[in-house]
């Protein structure tokens, strides 16, 4: 219920902020309408902040596994998005708007977009979804709370113009949730989210890369398939060999942490 309320607030008030302030309004919406309500919910509800949001320092192996999983999961999401266009074409005005938003033509603009579209969502959205939502559903079986988290994360990114973002984003939400659950650290989710979004900005902003990746009517390059599969497999192996997490953990003993 909290996440649903935050989504409605973000949709209505966030649109107003963006119409009034443009990209600065989007930045403000993430911090004021997602991050602050999530933190306030945990604090005012007298939940253990560190345990609920899983603010544990990740092991180096967990960070390495998360990076590999992110590198493998991103091309899969791109492939899902391209396959959808066969049955669900992207409206041209939506495509143009997204392209303008993620493309930088100067180093300063690139730094701003990485802050706006990579770092900020990586922190604010992870606190809501892999923090509060995951913390509130861990009494379910792992398969259920992982799929639920992915579905809600995908639904959060729907818009009136198109549903094209649902399946790719739900896939990423499932992957992020599994890694955060296995590593017991929100920071692995922040890392993966930031890398995924940052890759999109860089690919759209570097001319040579844009020519290869930015055509919405063309599939992702075929050479990405084995690279993505190898990264995904290696990352999953690394994360899966970490100590198995409790399904509904309280604060773990200090001996379990580094």
């Amino acid at each position: 219920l909290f996440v649903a309320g935050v989504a409605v607030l973000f949709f209505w008030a966030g649109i107003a902020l963006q119409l009034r302030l443009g990209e600065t309004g989007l930045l403000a919406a993430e911090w004021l309408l997602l991050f602050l309500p999530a933190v306030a919910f945990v604090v005012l509800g007298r939940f253990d902040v560190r345990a609920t949001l899983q603010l544990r320092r990740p092991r180096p192996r967990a960070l390495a596994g998360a990076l590999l999983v992110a590198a493998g999961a991103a091309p899969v999401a791109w492939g899902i998005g391209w396959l959808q266009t066969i049955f669900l074409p992207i409206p041209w005005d939506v495509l143009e708007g997204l392209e303008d938003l993620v493309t930088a033509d100067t180093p300063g603009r690139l730094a701003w977009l990485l802050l706006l579209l990579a770092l900020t969502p990586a922190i604010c959205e992870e606190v809501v979804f892999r923090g509060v939502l995951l913390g509130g559903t861990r009494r379910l079986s792992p398969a259920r709370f992982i799929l639920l988290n992915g579905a809600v994360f995908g639904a959060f990114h729907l818009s009136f113009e198109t549903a094209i973002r649902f399946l790719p984003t739900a896939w990423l939400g499932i992957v992020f949730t599994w890694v955060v659950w296995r590593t017991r650290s929100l920071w692995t989710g922040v890392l993966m989210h930031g890398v995924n979004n940052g890759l999109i900005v860089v690919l759209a902003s570097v001319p040579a890369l844009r020519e290869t990746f930015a055509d919405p009517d063309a599939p992702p390059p075929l050479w990405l398939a084995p690279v993505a599969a190898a990264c995904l497999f290696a990352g999953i192996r690394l994360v899966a060999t970490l100590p198995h997490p409790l399904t509904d953990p309280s604060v773990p003993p200090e001996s379990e942490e580094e």
Side-chain angles (χ1 to χ4, degrees), residues 142-152 170 174 177:
R144 288 183 178 180
F145 66 65
I146 289 170
L147 291 175
L148 173 65
N149 202 291
V152 175
I174 289 170
T177 304

Side-chain angles (χ1 to χ4, degrees), residues 148-178:
L148 173 65
N149 202 291
V152 175
F153 187 60
F156 179 78
H157 289 83
L158 287 172
S159 67
F160 285 135
E161 292 87 358
T162 178
I164 197 73
R165 296 178 67 189
F166 175 76
L167 286 180
T169 310
W171 154 252
L172 292 173
I174 289 170
V175 172
F176 295 170
T177 304
W178 180 79

Side-chain angles (χ1 to χ4, degrees), residues 99-124:
E99 185 176 355
D100 291 342
L101 176 62
V102 302
T103 302
D105 52 8
T106 65
R109 174 68 177 170
L110 178 62
W112 164 250
L113 289 183
L114 290 174
L115 170 65
L116 175 68
L117 302 176
L119 180 61
T120 292
I123 296 173
C124 299

Side-chain angles (χ1 to χ4, degrees), residues 25-200:
L26 176 59
L27 186 75
E30 289 274 346
W31 289 102
L32 297 178
L33 305 178
L34 293 180
F35 181 82
L36 285 183
V39 172
F41 177 81
V42 175
V43 172
L44 296 178
R46 298 184 179 180
F47 301 107
D48 186 304
V49 176
R50 189 164 179 265
T52 301
L53 300 182
Q54 302 197 89
L55 300 178
R56 301 175 180 90
R57 184 177 63 182
R59 301 169 184 266
R61 187 170 55 178
L63 291 174
L67 276 174
L68 285 168
V69 171
V76 174
W78 304 340
I80 293 172
W82 172 75
L83 286 173
Q84 283 188 126
T85 62
I86 300 174
F87 311 99
L88 189 66
I90 307 175
W92 183 250
D93 56 339
V94 172
L95 185 62
E96 282 190 320
L98 288 174
E99 185 176 355
D100 291 342
L101 176 62
V102 302
T103 302
D105 52 8
T106 65
R109 174 68 177 170
L110 178 62
W112 164 250
L113 289 183
L114 290 174
L115 170 65
L116 175 68
L117 302 176
L119 180 61
T120 292
I123 296 173
C124 299
E125 294 179 16
E126 288 304 302
V127 166
V128 172
F129 293 98
R130 261 61 68 180
V132 174
L133 181 59
L134 179 56
T137 57
R138 283 184 304 206
R139 290 189 183 277
L140 300 174
S141 67
R144 288 183 178 180
F145 66 65
I146 289 170
L147 291 175
L148 173 65
N149 202 291
V152 175
F153 187 60
F156 179 78
H157 289 83
L158 287 172
S159 67
F160 285 135
E161 292 87 358
T162 178
I164 197 73
R165 296 178 67 189
F166 175 76
L167 286 180
T169 310
W171 154 252
L172 292 173
I174 289 170
V175 172
F176 295 170
T177 304
W178 180 79
V179 172
V180 170
W181 171 63
R182 288 290 319 194
T183 61
R184 293 182 295 171
S185 175
L186 183 75
W187 302 115
T188 55
V190 171
L191 176 64
M192 296 176 70
H193 200 145
V195 167
N196 178 79
N197 290 18
L199 274 174
I200 294 172

Side-chain angles (χ1 to χ4, degrees), residues 10-35:
F10 184 80
F11 179 78
W12 291 109
I15 286 179
L17 281 171
Q18 291 177 58
L19 289 175
R20 181 177 293 272
L21 301 175
E23 292 179 353
T24 303
L26 176 59
L27 186 75
E30 289 274 346
W31 289 102
L32 297 178
L33 305 178
L34 293 180
F35 181 82

